[in-house]
Amino acid sequence: MARGKSKKKGNGVELDFRQKLWEAADKLRNNMDAAEYKHVVLGLLFLKYISDSFEERHNQLLLELEQGADPEDPDEYRSVNVFWVPKEARWSYLQANAKQPTIGTLIDEAMIAIEKDNPSLKGVLNKDYGRATLDKQKLGELVDLIGTIGLGDAENRSKDVLGRVYEYFLSQFASAEGKKGGQFYTPRCVVQLLVEMLAPYHGRIYDPCCGSGGMFVQSEKFVEVHGGRIGDVSIYGQESNPTTWKLAKMNLAIRGIDNNLGPEPADTFRRDLHPDLKADFILANPPFNMRDWGQEALKDDVRWKFGVPPKGNANFAWVQHFIHHLSPTGMAGFVLANGSMSSNQSGEGEIRKAILEADLVDCIVALPGQLFYSTQIPACLWFLARDRHNNKFRDRRGQVLFIDARKMGTMTDRVHRELMDADIQKIASTYHAWRGDKETTDEYKDVPGFCKSATLEEIAKSGHILTPGRYVGAEDLEDDSEDFEEKMRSLTAQLKEQIEKASELDRIILGNLKELGFDE
């Protein structure tokens, strides 16, 4: 498929073939609910991806027959981390049968065959394409449409084309589902900001509410962009929603990212799948203000070192879960609702105070509104660090950096805002300068209205409230150096002139009306 000319629309969002593909696929959705259609489309994209990778390896082995290669030996594929695809599951076979009324059953059989030969995908793939309610003509057209991706030059056959399409479709489905869904997807710009600020070059990365795995994908991208290799980080995750867990497994498989998301979906509070894990980096976007999280059965849990979280809100259960899983030098960056910065209800203020006094809070960022697909609740970023006095960065004990980014970002449509690359770089570089990254040459300084380095004593005087606006103050207005008295005289003269002009305009209008006979 020709890639066409890309039109950059902001933070990596390109109005290119992906949008055209999405519009075509969405047209075939007909009356199907977006939440249901998501699994139809993303399952086919995954099948196309592994089939393309298989075909590329298959063609290579055909050229090596004289050297003893066997294109039908599964081990020839597994040895280079390519999924073995049985004949009945190859895309060429399915596309040849796309117009048949049995196409749904054939796809189900293909999924079953792939899972059987690839244990890591067991229980992950959607096998419900043969159901009576799925229009087989539309399904065949969708197979034809997805078949146009990845063909052509070597670049289009590379793994990341389908990976980018997959990510784009995830975001579009999150938008289409709106408040009814979308929790599986954290907007790319928010994930990118978290990753850029934490800079997870290597080590163990953990997301205990990983959704579709976006934090891991972006972390691997960061490592690659900064000269590292895929595999420099180890991925650990957990997700309670079964369909979202499957999305994450497919999303990571498309990128070739090894992972440990546990053997199955599970609730992080009630059944921690990585109880002994101490992570170097934790990135997460837990559900906002989650109720009924099971506090009654967990009151004596070892994780609540700073106080038992309230029954009606899991925000500080998540925060303490993160702290519990941090290594001695580990760092965490996560999204929470704004209430976490100031709430004093049900003991939350005491827990926040205890965490502050333990000197774990490194930075707080207030985000602009309308960034999320699933909620309009204002949100913020928390950054925690276990050891704020090591050789990696400067000694910043007793200090917290506050950044107010509420005015940043650009509206990309009527209801969604996005942080642009320049916004992300400004926030991340401010944090890196403040904490003293060795790679940065920027010198940190407080900027009224944007950032402020506050001491724990200042924060205590503010009742341990962490709202950045309280500390950064108002931005400086530009001083035009004009004397106040002179400025007032000038403005008054301008006003008199405008009043006289308005009177003259009224006189002319009345005169014209009189000439027309409307002088009463």
Side-chain angles (χ1 to χ4, degrees), residues 243-262:
T243 55
T244 305
W245 182 81
K246 292 177 182 178
L247 283 181
K249 294 289 285 185
M250 288 193 285
N251 196 14
L252 297 176
I254 275 181
R255 306 284 181 171
I257 299 174
D258 287 335
N259 60 85
N260 180 351
L261 305 189

PDB file of all heavy atoms in Angstrom, residues 243-262:
ATOM      1  N   THR A 243     -10.407  -8.980  28.582  1.00  0.00           N
ATOM      2  CA  THR A 243     -10.251  -8.578  27.180  1.00  0.00           C
ATOM      3  C   THR A 243      -9.106  -7.575  27.021  1.00  0.00           C
ATOM      4  O   THR A 243      -8.383  -7.594  26.029  1.00  0.00           O
ATOM      5  CB  THR A 243     -11.554  -7.971  26.638  1.00  0.00           C
ATOM      6  OG1 THR A 243     -11.948  -6.896  27.481  1.00  0.00           O
ATOM      7  CG2 THR A 243     -12.653  -8.994  26.578  1.00  0.00           C
ATOM      8  N   THR A 244      -8.916  -6.720  28.015  1.00  0.00           N
ATOM      9  CA  THR A 244      -7.807  -5.769  27.964  1.00  0.00           C
ATOM     10  C   THR A 244      -6.462  -6.485  28.106  1.00  0.00           C
ATOM     11  O   THR A 244      -5.473  -6.122  27.466  1.00  0.00           O
ATOM     12  CB  THR A 244      -7.973  -4.698  29.067  1.00  0.00           C
ATOM     13  OG1 THR A 244      -9.252  -4.093  28.920  1.00  0.00           O
ATOM     14  CG2 THR A 244      -6.913  -3.633  28.959  1.00  0.00           C
ATOM     15  N   TRP A 245      -6.431  -7.504  28.965  1.00  0.00           N
ATOM     16  CA  TRP A 245      -5.216  -8.313  29.141  1.00  0.00           C
ATOM     17  C   TRP A 245      -4.813  -8.939  27.797  1.00  0.00           C
ATOM     18  O   TRP A 245      -3.630  -8.967  27.429  1.00  0.00           O
ATOM     19  CB  TRP A 245      -5.486  -9.387  30.191  1.00  0.00           C
ATOM     20  CG  TRP A 245      -4.328 -10.271  30.511  1.00  0.00           C
ATOM     21  CD1 TRP A 245      -3.284  -9.998  31.351  1.00  0.00           C
ATOM     22  CD2 TRP A 245      -4.078 -11.588  30.001  1.00  0.00           C
ATOM     23  NE1 TRP A 245      -2.409 -11.060  31.393  1.00  0.00           N
ATOM     24  CE2 TRP A 245      -2.871 -12.054  30.586  1.00  0.00           C
ATOM     25  CE3 TRP A 245      -4.757 -12.424  29.121  1.00  0.00           C
ATOM     26  CZ2 TRP A 245      -2.335 -13.318  30.304  1.00  0.00           C
ATOM     27  CZ3 TRP A 245      -4.229 -13.686  28.850  1.00  0.00           C
ATOM     28  CH2 TRP A 245      -3.036 -14.113  29.431  1.00  0.00           C
ATOM     29  N   LYS A 246      -5.789  -9.420  27.044  1.00  0.00           N
ATOM     30  CA  LYS A 246      -5.497  -9.998  25.726  1.00  0.00           C
ATOM     31  C   LYS A 246      -4.950  -8.930  24.769  1.00  0.00           C
ATOM     32  O   LYS A 246      -4.019  -9.180  23.998  1.00  0.00           O
ATOM     33  CB  LYS A 246      -6.757 -10.635  25.128  1.00  0.00           C
ATOM     34  CG  LYS A 246      -7.231 -11.867  25.873  1.00  0.00           C
ATOM     35  CD  LYS A 246      -8.522 -12.394  25.266  1.00  0.00           C
ATOM     36  CE  LYS A 246      -9.029 -13.615  26.032  1.00  0.00           C
ATOM     37  NZ  LYS A 246     -10.307 -14.111  25.478  1.00  0.00           N
ATOM     38  N   LEU A 247      -5.555  -7.742  24.826  1.00  0.00           N
ATOM     39  CA  LEU A 247      -5.060  -6.640  23.987  1.00  0.00           C
ATOM     40  C   LEU A 247      -3.600  -6.349  24.292  1.00  0.00           C
ATOM     41  O   LEU A 247      -2.780  -6.125  23.385  1.00  0.00           O
ATOM     42  CB  LEU A 247      -5.886  -5.359  24.220  1.00  0.00           C
ATOM     43  CG  LEU A 247      -7.262  -5.247  23.593  1.00  0.00           C
ATOM     44  CD1 LEU A 247      -7.868  -3.898  23.932  1.00  0.00           C
ATOM     45  CD2 LEU A 247      -7.193  -5.425  22.087  1.00  0.00           C
ATOM     46  N   ALA A 248      -3.270  -6.328  25.572  1.00  0.00           N
ATOM     47  CA  ALA A 248      -1.880  -6.045  25.971  1.00  0.00           C
ATOM     48  C   ALA A 248      -0.936  -7.115  25.446  1.00  0.00           C
ATOM     49  O   ALA A 248       0.145  -6.809  24.919  1.00  0.00           O
ATOM     50  CB  ALA A 248      -1.785  -5.963  27.507  1.00  0.00           C
ATOM     51  N   LYS A 249      -1.327  -8.374  25.561  1.00  0.00           N
ATOM     52  CA  LYS A 249      -0.481  -9.459  25.080  1.00  0.00           C
ATOM     53  C   LYS A 249      -0.240  -9.335  23.576  1.00  0.00           C
ATOM     54  O   LYS A 249       0.884  -9.516  23.089  1.00  0.00           O
ATOM     55  CB  LYS A 249      -1.135 -10.809  25.399  1.00  0.00           C
ATOM     56  CG  LYS A 249      -1.245 -11.141  26.872  1.00  0.00           C
ATOM     57  CD  LYS A 249       0.110 -11.459  27.498  1.00  0.00           C
ATOM     58  CE  LYS A 249       0.605 -12.821  27.113  1.00  0.00           C
ATOM     59  NZ  LYS A 249       1.869 -13.163  27.823  1.00  0.00           N
ATOM     60  N   MET A 250      -1.299  -9.008  22.830  1.00  0.00           N
ATOM     61  CA  MET A 250      -1.141  -8.857  21.373  1.00  0.00           C
ATOM     62  C   MET A 250      -0.313  -7.625  21.041  1.00  0.00           C
ATOM     63  O   MET A 250       0.541  -7.659  20.139  1.00  0.00           O
ATOM     64  CB  MET A 250      -2.520  -8.774  20.706  1.00  0.00           C
ATOM     65  CG  MET A 250      -3.278 -10.095  20.688  1.00  0.00           C
ATOM     66  SD  MET A 250      -4.714 -10.062  19.588  1.00  0.00           S
ATOM     67  CE  MET A 250      -5.851  -9.085  20.543  1.00  0.00           C
ATOM     68  N   ASN A 251      -0.570  -6.535  21.758  1.00  0.00           N
ATOM     69  CA  ASN A 251       0.157  -5.284  21.513  1.00  0.00           C
ATOM     70  C   ASN A 251       1.662  -5.480  21.699  1.00  0.00           C
ATOM     71  O   ASN A 251       2.480  -4.993  20.909  1.00  0.00           O
ATOM     72  CB  ASN A 251      -0.370  -4.203  22.469  1.00  0.00           C
ATOM     73  CG  ASN A 251       0.016  -2.796  22.059  1.00  0.00           C
ATOM     74  OD1 ASN A 251       0.461  -2.569  20.923  1.00  0.00           O
ATOM     75  ND2 ASN A 251      -0.146  -1.849  22.950  1.00  0.00           N
ATOM     76  N   LEU A 252       2.036  -6.219  22.735  1.00  0.00           N
ATOM     77  CA  LEU A 252       3.456  -6.454  23.006  1.00  0.00           C
ATOM     78  C   LEU A 252       4.047  -7.467  22.021  1.00  0.00           C
ATOM     79  O   LEU A 252       5.199  -7.332  21.595  1.00  0.00           O
ATOM     80  CB  LEU A 252       3.646  -6.934  24.444  1.00  0.00           C
ATOM     81  CG  LEU A 252       3.224  -5.929  25.524  1.00  0.00           C
ATOM     82  CD1 LEU A 252       3.368  -6.527  26.907  1.00  0.00           C
ATOM     83  CD2 LEU A 252       4.042  -4.648  25.409  1.00  0.00           C
ATOM     84  N   ALA A 253       3.241  -8.470  21.637  1.00  0.00           N
ATOM     85  CA  ALA A 253       3.729  -9.463  20.672  1.00  0.00           C
ATOM     86  C   ALA A 253       4.032  -8.810  19.332  1.00  0.00           C
ATOM     87  O   ALA A 253       5.023  -9.131  18.671  1.00  0.00           O
ATOM     88  CB  ALA A 253       2.692 -10.573  20.506  1.00  0.00           C
ATOM     89  N   ILE A 254       3.173  -7.863  18.920  1.00  0.00           N
ATOM     90  CA  ILE A 254       3.390  -7.152  17.656  1.00  0.00           C
ATOM     91  C   ILE A 254       4.723  -6.421  17.668  1.00  0.00           C
ATOM     92  O   ILE A 254       5.413  -6.333  16.654  1.00  0.00           O
ATOM     93  CB  ILE A 254       2.216  -6.174  17.392  1.00  0.00           C
ATOM     94  CG1 ILE A 254       1.077  -6.935  16.713  1.00  0.00           C
ATOM     95  CG2 ILE A 254       2.639  -4.988  16.554  1.00  0.00           C
ATOM     96  CD1 ILE A 254      -0.110  -6.085  16.398  1.00  0.00           C
ATOM     97  N   ARG A 255       5.113  -5.923  18.832  1.00  0.00           N
ATOM     98  CA  ARG A 255       6.384  -5.201  18.953  1.00  0.00           C
ATOM     99  C   ARG A 255       7.559  -6.125  19.243  1.00  0.00           C
ATOM    100  O   ARG A 255       8.688  -5.659  19.353  1.00  0.00           O
ATOM    101  CB  ARG A 255       6.289  -4.177  20.093  1.00  0.00           C
ATOM    102  CG  ARG A 255       5.127  -3.219  19.988  1.00  0.00           C
ATOM    103  CD  ARG A 255       5.396  -2.160  18.953  1.00  0.00           C
ATOM    104  NE  ARG A 255       4.286  -1.213  18.869  1.00  0.00           N
ATOM    105  CZ  ARG A 255       4.321  -0.099  18.174  1.00  0.00           C
ATOM    106  NH1 ARG A 255       5.401   0.205  17.495  1.00  0.00           N
ATOM    107  NH2 ARG A 255       3.290   0.704  18.137  1.00  0.00           N
ATOM    108  N   GLY A 256       7.280  -7.404  19.428  1.00  0.00           N
ATOM    109  CA  GLY A 256       8.358  -8.330  19.759  1.00  0.00           C
ATOM    110  C   GLY A 256       8.920  -8.093  21.154  1.00  0.00           C
ATOM    111  O   GLY A 256      10.105  -8.332  21.411  1.00  0.00           O
ATOM    112  N   ILE A 257       8.053  -7.618  22.075  1.00  0.00           N
ATOM    113  CA  ILE A 257       8.507  -7.301  23.439  1.00  0.00           C
ATOM    114  C   ILE A 257       8.193  -8.472  24.368  1.00  0.00           C
ATOM    115  O   ILE A 257       7.020  -8.801  24.590  1.00  0.00           O
ATOM    116  CB  ILE A 257       7.815  -6.019  23.952  1.00  0.00           C
ATOM    117  CG1 ILE A 257       8.177  -4.835  23.051  1.00  0.00           C
ATOM    118  CG2 ILE A 257       8.203  -5.744  25.400  1.00  0.00           C
ATOM    119  CD1 ILE A 257       7.419  -3.558  23.392  1.00  0.00           C
ATOM    120  N   ASP A 258       9.227  -9.095  24.926  1.00  0.00           N
ATOM    121  CA  ASP A 258       9.024 -10.147  25.915  1.00  0.00           C
ATOM    122  C   ASP A 258       8.388  -9.546  27.157  1.00  0.00           C
ATOM    123  O   ASP A 258       8.677  -8.394  27.520  1.00  0.00           O
ATOM    124  CB  ASP A 258      10.362 -10.799  26.303  1.00  0.00           C
ATOM    125  CG  ASP A 258      10.893 -11.675  25.186  1.00  0.00           C
ATOM    126  OD1 ASP A 258      10.063 -12.139  24.374  1.00  0.00           O
ATOM    127  OD2 ASP A 258      12.109 -11.877  25.119  1.00  0.00           O
ATOM    128  N   ASN A 259       7.515 -10.310  27.805  1.00  0.00           N
ATOM    129  CA  ASN A 259       6.809  -9.735  28.944  1.00  0.00           C
ATOM    130  C   ASN A 259       6.370 -10.805  29.908  1.00  0.00           C
ATOM    131  O   ASN A 259       6.269 -11.974  29.561  1.00  0.00           O
ATOM    132  CB  ASN A 259       5.585  -8.956  28.449  1.00  0.00           C
ATOM    133  CG  ASN A 259       4.604  -9.865  27.689  1.00  0.00           C
ATOM    134  OD1 ASN A 259       3.771 -10.506  28.293  1.00  0.00           O
ATOM    135  ND2 ASN A 259       4.725  -9.941  26.368  1.00  0.00           N
ATOM    136  N   ASN A 260       6.098 -10.360  31.123  1.00  0.00           N
ATOM    137  CA  ASN A 260       5.500 -11.214  32.134  1.00  0.00           C
ATOM    138  C   ASN A 260       4.281 -10.478  32.680  1.00  0.00           C
ATOM    139  O   ASN A 260       4.394  -9.641  33.573  1.00  0.00           O
ATOM    140  CB  ASN A 260       6.510 -11.507  33.252  1.00  0.00           C
ATOM    141  CG  ASN A 260       5.917 -12.405  34.335  1.00  0.00           C
ATOM    142  OD1 ASN A 260       4.716 -12.670  34.337  1.00  0.00           O
ATOM    143  ND2 ASN A 260       6.751 -12.866  35.239  1.00  0.00           N
ATOM    144  N   LEU A 261       3.122 -10.767  32.091  1.00  0.00           N
ATOM    145  CA  LEU A 261       1.875 -10.158  32.554  1.00  0.00           C
ATOM    146  C   LEU A 261       1.092 -11.144  33.413  1.00  0.00           C
ATOM    147  O   LEU A 261      -0.114 -10.988  33.604  1.00  0.00           O
ATOM    148  CB  LEU A 261       1.009  -9.716  31.360  1.00  0.00           C
ATOM    149  CG  LEU A 261       1.631  -8.779  30.331  1.00  0.00           C
ATOM    150  CD1 LEU A 261       0.566  -8.276  29.356  1.00  0.00           C
ATOM    151  CD2 LEU A 261       2.328  -7.599  30.981  1.00  0.00           C
ATOM    152  N   GLY A 262       1.805 -12.155  33.901  1.00  0.00           N
ATOM    153  CA  GLY A 262       1.142 -13.192  34.682  1.00  0.00           C
ATOM    154  C   GLY A 262       0.455 -14.184  33.760  1.00  0.00           C
ATOM    155  O   GLY A 262       0.263 -13.920  32.580  1.00  0.00           O
TER     156      GLY A 262
END
